Amino acid sequence: MKMIGFKSTLLNATLAITAALPLAAAGMFTSAGSAQAATLSGSIGLVGTSVIPSGLGNPANTSIQFTDVKVTNNTSGDFLDFSPTLSGTGITINTLNLTKITDIPTTTLATYSTGNYTPFIDFGSRSLDGTTAFLTFDLDNSVLTRNTFSDGGIGYGVNEITGKFNFNGQTIATGLISGSLSGTSSGYELTLTAKAVSVPEPTTMLGLGLVGAGMVMSMSRRRKSFVQ
């Protein structure tokens, strides 16, 4: 009976430590961050000047440089809640270096790969829901269609380019870019649409700890009944 009691005590201690880990982690998360994780939904329009290298044909490698950024008045949803207001000040868009995938037969069109960009758009330090952090948009490897016109003009179709919005070190939304770019030194118009993703909150970790503690208590009662 003493051997059974010793094993029961050792197992109780082990399970208690295991159950305490999620509780301790929950405490750290709760004290380190806000009680509610930020989410992002809505859309924001960006316009400005783009520079595209001139030349006939569709080269193997080319680029698109974004020299300035302004925010249009069709911004909606959570994008309106940031502080400072998203007005274009402090926003930068990195140059896209494109690699040709293939020419489209019997046309002047060609498709280009963007590669992954982390970040592609840097919105700077912003505050949302009581948290101040850097907001960025990371671009997934996507495809652009380029058209070279007879007069030397160049245009790009931007359709369903995807990426992720990151804030305070977490992905808070997936993103979709649509728009157009034209000319060798002309304008661009981009619309970014955000769809919120679920972010685990500290209460989730606390719940795991409570469940683990409850299991230990239940198993402890059963073993005591057995020993008696």
Side-chain angles (χ1 to χ4, degrees):
M1 296 297 291
K2 290 182 179 181
M3 181 64 70
I4 293 176
F6 174 75
K7 288 183 178 179
S8 176
T9 301
L10 180 61
L11 186 57
N12 274 340
T14 303
L15 289 173
I17 293 172
T18 303
L21 290 176
L23 286 168
M28 288 189 292
F29 278 111
T30 302
S31 61
S34 60
Q36 184 175 1
T39 59
L40 183 65
S41 61
S43 64
I44 183 170
L46 303 178
V47 298
T49 304
S50 59
V51 176
I52 303 171
S54 60
L56 296 176
N58 297 311
N61 297 282
T62 187
S63 64
I64 303 172
Q65 180 183 2
F66 303 88
T67 60
D68 61 348
V69 183
K70 297 181 178 65
V71 176
T72 65
N73 58 8
N74 65 348
T75 300
S76 66
D78 296 324
F79 289 99
L80 296 172
D81 297 332
F82 280 100
S83 177
T85 303
L86 294 170
S87 61
T89 303
I91 301 176
T92 57
I93 304 178
N94 286 325
T95 298
L96 280 179
N97 295 306
L98 307 176
T99 302
K100 185 164 68 174
I101 301 172
T102 187
D103 290 303
I104 299 176
T106 70
T107 72
T108 58
L109 303 176
T111 55
Y112 284 80
S113 170
T114 64
N116 297 295
Y117 279 80
T118 307
F120 174 48
I121 303 175
D122 186 349
F123 292 91
S125 180
R126 308 284 171 172
S127 295
L128 179 67
D129 294 337
T131 300
T132 300
F134 284 95
L135 174 67
T136 61
F137 179 78
D138 296 344
L139 186 68
D140 296 335
N141 188 13
S142 303
V143 176
L144 297 181
T145 301
R146 170 185 167 114
N147 190 8
T148 303
F149 303 102
S150 58
D151 61 357
I154 299 168
Y156 284 93
V158 181
N159 187 31
E160 296 188 354
I161 294 179
T162 61
K164 299 175 181 65
F165 287 94
N166 296 310
F167 184 68
N168 197 26
Q170 293 181 314
T171 296
I172 60 173
T174 56
L176 186 68
I177 301 179
S178 60
S180 62
L181 305 95
S182 61
T184 56
S185 181
S186 188
Y188 68 86
E189 296 180 3
L190 301 176
T191 299
L192 286 80
T193 303
K195 182 179 180 181
V197 297
S198 59
V199 179
E201 297 185 13
T203 51
T204 302
M205 293 294 296
L206 182 59
L208 290 174
L210 293 175
V211 170
M215 292 174 62
V216 170
M217 292 175 63
S218 177
M219 293 178 67
S220 176
R221 290 195 188 101
R222 291 179 181 178
R223 280 191 299 275
K224 285 181 180 180
S225 299
F226 174 76
V227 172
Q228 293 173 354

